[in-house]
């Protein structure tokens, strides 16, 4: 089993622009690791690398169990990702989408279902865990399993997407701006649910709301200009001065 991933000098160029510059980082097997930094710092690009979406220009990702660098396919089997820009099929019902997220091997193409997945009260009780019920309830979705995703509000779609990612059995979870578009009440519930999952699995999260980050993160990495500008954990999270990092980046 792949675990304890190590990023060794990860570098990414987009044309002549160096977006990530020799990132060195050891990822824990569980816990919540937050990535923060100004726009253009390379946060989403780092998630792109970890999810096997893009190739690196240099460096590699290793596991403690393997001597060779992990392939894009191996990274994709390890991580499931919530993108900042939601990409979910609007023609599926909430129940169908969540069902496929939990049991992808039993589904045909999510976009070409020849047989609809029937939602019944009995199936919901068997399939939906309590944490997902509370998440859906926070967005007024507790009785919306048979609704098509295209009929939902943006915040409701994001909650369904978060639920789908957390239902996955993969070891690592990548959350890119998960709280965007959520009400304060829904944010609070989503934060609590994500924290519970972080106790058992590795979660990497990018988030602009620093108060939210401090409440949920076990460790925080500051990215500035494609490089690691600071690392914080434990009691030091409450004392972090991100403004200082950001101001320094603007004066370089």
């Amino acid at each position: 089993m792949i675990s304890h991933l190590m990023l060794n000098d990860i570098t990414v160029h987009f044309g002549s622009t160096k977006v990530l510059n020799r990132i060195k980082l050891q990822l824990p097997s569980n816990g919540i690791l937050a990535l923060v930094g100004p726009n253009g710092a390379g946060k989403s690009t780092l998630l792109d690398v970890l999810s096997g979406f893009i190739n690196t220009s240099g460096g590699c990702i290793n596991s403690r169990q393997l001597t060779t660098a992990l392939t894009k396919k191996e990274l994709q089997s390890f991580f499931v990702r919530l993108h900042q820009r939601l990409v979910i099929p609007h023609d599926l019902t909430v129940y169908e989408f969540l069902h496929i997220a939990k049991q992808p091997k039993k589904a045909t193409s999510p976009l070409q279902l020849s047989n609809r997945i029937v939602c019944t009260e009995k199936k919901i009780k068997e399939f939906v865990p309590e944490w997902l019920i509370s998440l859906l309830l926070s967005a007024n979705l507790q009785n919306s399993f048979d609704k098509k995703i295209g009929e939902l509000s943006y915040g409701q779609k994001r909650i369904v997407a978060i639920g789908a990612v957390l239902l996955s059995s993969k070891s690592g979870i990548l959350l890119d701006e998960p709280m965007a578009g959520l009400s304060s009440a829904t944010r609070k519930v989503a934060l609590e649910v994500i924290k519970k999952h972080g106790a058992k699995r590795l979660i990497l999260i990018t988030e602009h709301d620093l108060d939210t980050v401090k409440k949920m993160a076990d460790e925080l990495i500051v990215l500035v200009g494609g490089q690691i500008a600071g690392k914080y954990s434990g009691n030091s999270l409450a004392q972090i001065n991100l403004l200082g990092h950001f101001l320094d980046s603007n004066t370089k």
Side-chain angles (χ1 to χ4, degrees):
M1 177 182 289
I2 299 173
S3 65
H4 295 91
L5 303 188
M6 292 167 284
L7 282 63
N8 302 304
D9 292 325
I10 296 298
T11 301
V12 174
H13 288 89
F14 291 156
S16 60
T17 303
K18 186 178 288 186
V19 183
L20 293 178
N21 185 13
R22 304 192 70 176
I23 298 292
K24 293 184 178 180
L25 191 61
Q26 182 168 326
L27 303 181
S29 58
N30 66 290
I32 298 178
L33 176 62
L35 302 174
V36 301
N39 290 333
K43 304 183 297 294
S44 292
T45 301
L46 185 55
L47 297 191
D48 285 340
V49 171
L50 288 169
S51 61
F53 184 68
I54 64 172
N55 294 317
T56 62
S57 306
C60 64
I61 300 176
N62 295 95
S63 168
R64 188 177 294 176
Q65 289 80 7
L66 301 172
T67 57
T68 57
L70 297 178
T71 64
K72 290 173 69 173
K73 186 175 182 180
E74 286 172 325
L75 288 170
Q76 290 166 359
S77 69
F78 185 87
F79 284 110
V80 60
R81 181 175 180 181
L82 172 75
H83 289 267
Q84 184 176 355
R85 181 181 177 184
L86 291 179
V87 183
I88 55 179
H90 284 190
D91 287 338
L92 293 182
T93 66
V94 171
Y95 182 79
E96 286 173 333
F97 183 64
L98 294 174
H99 194 278
I100 290 170
K102 186 175 182 180
Q103 300 176 314
K105 292 182 179 179
K106 294 185 179 181
T108 56
S109 169
L111 298 177
Q112 298 177 349
L113 285 174
S114 56
N115 297 311
R116 309 301 298 196
I117 299 175
V118 180
C119 171
T120 65
E121 187 174 345
K122 180 180 179 181
K123 285 186 177 181
I124 291 173
K125 289 181 178 180
E126 294 173 347
F127 166 75
V128 184
E130 288 186 11
W131 63 263
L132 182 53
I133 291 291
S134 65
L135 195 61
L136 295 175
L137 181 62
S138 73
N140 296 317
L141 284 168
Q142 66 273 21
N143 297 315
S144 302
F145 287 100
D146 57 350
K147 268 193 176 182
K148 287 191 175 182
I149 292 174
E151 300 173 4
L152 307 181
S153 69
Y154 178 82
Q156 289 176 325
K157 290 174 186 175
R158 184 160 286 276
I159 280 296
V160 171
I162 291 173
V165 168
L166 296 179
L167 276 173
S168 168
S169 60
K170 293 185 180 181
S171 300
I173 299 170
L174 306 175
L175 302 176
D176 201 351
E177 300 289 344
M179 303 298 177
L182 301 184
S183 68
S184 57
T186 305
R187 264 176 197 251
K188 183 178 179 181
V189 176
L191 186 152
E192 293 172 352
V193 169
I194 292 170
K195 282 191 70 172
K196 288 180 180 179
H197 281 266
K200 298 179 180 180
R201 292 190 282 179
L202 170 63
I203 297 179
L204 270 76
I205 182 171
T206 71
E207 182 61 52
H208 282 298
D209 187 334
L210 300 183
D211 288 334
T212 297
V213 166
K214 290 179 182 180
K215 291 176 183 177
M216 69 163 51
D218 298 301
E219 186 176 359
L220 186 147
I221 304 294
V222 182
L223 286 180
V224 176
Q227 295 179 300
I228 294 178
K231 297 181 181 180
Y232 301 85
S233 61
N235 293 333
S236 66
L237 282 173
Q239 303 167 1
I240 183 173
N241 179 16
L242 292 181
L243 183 60
H245 287 295
F246 297 169
L247 290 175
D248 287 345
S249 71
N250 292 328
T251 57
K252 290 181 180 178

